[in-house]
């Protein structure tokens, strides 16, 4: 199942918003904002593929909103279409100078607008595929060297030195085996991320309870927690059911738990909470580790472009990117709050299962 492209509608006039909802609601995932300030916040959370941006709004106008959107790294590749009754050439040029990809004049023809948005959605998808290819090549070039050398080195010794003791031969074979295993995991994670981003991985959705998935995930990571004397404290409220792929969502929870265990000081505790907030079921995983540097946070869930060695070690950057994509495919999102020296808190938000 191909995931729907996401459109953020920014307009302070409710009637205009409703018109755009009718045009795009059946084929796109929609979010709305009624001001420039609200659009900046919503865009960072919603991560739209396309923004339909009104020019005339109270407070921050569409031009300044567009400039600030373009200055946000996470939204650099989002397609911005300005929609306005201002039709003079200098006004259209002002929109392009602010960073808009297109300028649509009101009143517009719904069929033409839909066709334009479809084109930009396809263009963004193609550009994402190109970036994905480039990032994969860069990642593999960077990440494959160490495990390949760890395989080739022991095998070369085994070929050249026939008089090695059985114990030494076994050590070299174990080293090569573990390196091949790590290499295989890296390739599998990369392929899963590609499949999720491209919409090639179908979800097996069923009515589920988040608490049940969390408890199973805690059981899965308990051996790792015991090794470091980490206490996992679960606080689970009675919450609504969700529509979820249990295996994929369990993978997300395990990723967060493993990260918390890895980066927590030995003999510390990790707090896990399941609750409900509005139309969402929520999970928080909080550790007391050293936290994440502020400059890393914006790209933390972009596994194919993360350059930080600490959070990319052992495929962790890929794990978080995979988690982000799984949450998006579930109609949810993943968030992080972190303070250097005080720890990190990851939050999952999933929509309540429709009645």
């Amino acid at each position: 199942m191909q995931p729907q492209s996401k459109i953020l509608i920014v307009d302070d006039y409710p009637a205009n918003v409703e018109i755009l909802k009718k045009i795009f609601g059946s084929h796109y995932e929609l979010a709305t904002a009624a001001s420039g300030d609200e659009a900046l916040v919503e865009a960072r959370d919603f991560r739209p593929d396309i923004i339909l941006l009104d020019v005339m709004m109270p407070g921050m106008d569409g031009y300044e909103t567009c400039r600030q959107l373009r200055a946000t790294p996470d939204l650099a590749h989002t397609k911005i279409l300005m929609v306005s009754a201002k039709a003079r050439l200098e006004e259209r040029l002002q929109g392009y100078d602010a960073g808009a990809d297109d300028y649509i004049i009101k009143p517009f023809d719904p069929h033409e607008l839909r066709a334009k948005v479809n084109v930009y959605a396809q263009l963004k998808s193609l550009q994402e595929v190109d970036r994905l290819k480039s990032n994969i090549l860069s990642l593999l070039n960077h990440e494959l060297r160490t495990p390949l050398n760890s395989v080739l080195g022991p095998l070369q010794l085994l070929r050249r030195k026939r008089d090695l003791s059985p114990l030494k031969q076994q050590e070299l074979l174990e080293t090569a085996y573990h390196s091949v295993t790590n290499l295989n995991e890296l390739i599998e994670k990369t392929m899963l991320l590609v499949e999720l981003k491209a919409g090639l991985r179908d979800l097996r959705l069923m009515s589920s309870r988040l608490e049940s998935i969390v408890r199973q995930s805690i059981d899965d990571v308990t051996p790792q927690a015991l090794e470091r004397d980490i206490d996992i404290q679960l606080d689970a409220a009675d919450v609504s059911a969700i529509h979820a792929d249990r295996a994929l969502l369990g993978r997300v929870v395990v990723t967060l738990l493993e990260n918390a265990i890895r980066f927590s000081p030995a003999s510390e505790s990790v707090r896990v909470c399941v609750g409900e907030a509005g139309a969402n079921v929520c999970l928080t995983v909080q550790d007391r580790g050293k936290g994440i540097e502020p400059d890393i946070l914006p790209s933390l869930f972009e596994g194919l472009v993360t350059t930080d060695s600490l959070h990319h070690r052992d495929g962790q950057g890929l794990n978080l990117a995979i988690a982000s994509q799984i949450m998006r495919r579930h109609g949810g999102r993943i968030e992080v709050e972190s303070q250097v020296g005080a720890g990190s808190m990851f939050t999952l938000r999933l929509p309540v299962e429709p009645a």
Side-chain angles (χ1 to χ4, degrees):
M1 178 179 63
Q2 182 76 17
Q4 288 183 314
S5 295
K6 302 165 78 173
I7 296 178
L8 173 60
I9 300 170
V10 185
D11 199 311
D12 65 312
Y13 192 46
N16 291 340
V17 174
E18 290 305 314
I19 290 171
L20 293 172
K21 281 184 175 180
K22 289 180 181 178
I23 294 174
F24 297 107
S26 59
H27 299 288
Y28 292 87
E29 184 180 347
L30 304 180
T32 63
S35 68
D37 290 326
E38 187 179 338
L40 294 174
V41 175
E42 186 66 31
R44 281 190 284 265
D45 289 340
F46 185 58
R47 299 290 186 91
D49 299 294
I50 296 170
I51 298 176
L52 297 178
L53 177 61
D54 187 33
V55 173
M56 298 296 292
M57 294 184 294
M60 187 191 307
D61 66 14
Y63 299 127
E64 180 58 27
T65 302
C66 187
R67 280 189 284 270
Q68 294 200 27
L69 287 167
R70 280 287 176 244
T72 304
D74 293 346
L75 303 172
H77 303 291
T78 299
K79 301 301 179 185
I80 301 177
L81 282 64
M82 302 195 86
V83 184
S84 175
K86 290 186 171 186
R88 292 186 301 172
L89 176 60
E90 58 266 31
E91 292 165 338
R92 300 199 303 274
L93 291 177
Q94 188 177 354
Y96 292 125
D97 288 341
D101 294 284
D102 206 341
Y103 194 103
I104 298 163
I105 298 172
K106 298 178 183 177
F108 50 78
D109 181 83
H111 300 290
E112 182 182 8
L113 178 60
R114 187 184 298 115
K116 278 196 171 189
V117 168
N118 289 342
V119 168
Y120 279 108
Q122 293 171 11
L123 178 60
K124 185 173 188 297
S125 296
L126 291 173
Q127 290 174 337
E128 284 186 341
V129 169
D130 287 339
R131 286 197 301 274
L132 193 59
K133 291 177 181 177
S134 176
N135 289 334
I136 288 173
L137 290 175
S138 177
L139 174 78
L140 294 179
N141 180 59
H142 179 267
E143 295 289 343
L144 292 183
R145 294 184 183 275
T146 299
L148 278 176
N149 289 335
S150 298
V151 174
L152 290 173
L155 292 180
Q156 286 172 347
L157 282 174
L158 287 169
R159 286 188 64 193
R160 293 173 183 173
K161 296 190 176 183
R162 305 291 184 178
D163 57 344
L164 292 173
S165 68
L167 180 59
K168 186 61 177 178
Q169 291 180 27
Q170 184 65 30
E171 290 177 358
L172 292 172
L173 286 172
E174 287 295 325
T175 299
Y177 174 79
H178 287 301
S179 297
V180 170
T181 300
N182 292 337
L183 186 60
N184 185 59
E185 288 179 358
L186 174 64
I187 293 172
E188 286 184 349
K189 289 176 183 177
T190 303
M191 295 310 300
L192 175 58
L193 181 57
V194 170
E195 289 176 1
L196 288 167
K197 276 181 171 284
L200 301 176
R201 172 63 68 95
D202 289 335
L203 272 60
R204 298 178 179 178
L205 298 173
M206 63 182 69
S207 181
S208 306
R209 294 285 176 177
L210 182 57
E211 180 188 353
S212 171
I213 297 172
V214 171
R215 289 188 183 278
Q216 179 60 57
S217 300
I218 291 175
D219 289 342
D220 292 341
V221 302
T222 293
Q224 300 172 43
L226 291 175
E227 285 182 6
R228 305 197 66 243
D229 193 25
I230 299 292
D231 178 31
I232 301 177
Q233 301 174 349
L234 174 61
D235 179 9
D238 185 18
V239 296
S240 302
I242 56 175
H243 213 43
D245 183 312
R246 291 182 62 90
L248 286 179
L249 190 56
R251 180 176 186 137
V252 175
V253 179
V254 166
T255 291
L256 299 188
L257 292 172
E258 287 180 339
N259 290 351
I261 292 169
R262 174 182 298 185
F263 293 108
S264 292
S267 304
E268 265 289 1
S269 61
V270 170
R271 187 177 181 191
V272 181
C273 297
V274 178
E276 194 164 341
N280 291 317
V281 173
C282 304
L283 167 70
T284 61
V285 178
Q286 185 171 11
D287 65 58
R288 298 180 183 177
K290 59 174 146 182
I292 304 169
E293 296 290 341
D295 59 330
I296 296 171
L297 288 174
S299 61
L300 192 64
F301 300 110
E302 304 296 329
L304 292 177
V305 296
T306 299
T307 57
D308 172 63
S309 60
L310 173 64
H311 293 92
H312 206 46
R313 185 182 62 189
D314 297 335
Q316 184 181 355
L318 282 174
N319 285 340
L320 290 175
I322 289 169
S324 178
Q325 288 298 316
I326 291 173
M327 291 300 296
R328 176 174 178 175
R329 292 293 301 278
H330 279 79
R333 63 182 187 270
I334 182 171
E335 305 164 354
V336 61
E337 298 176 23
S338 188
Q339 183 177 351
V340 175
S344 304
M345 181 173 72
F346 287 82
T347 301
L348 305 182
R349 301 185 189 279
L350 291 151
V352 171
E353 183 179 42

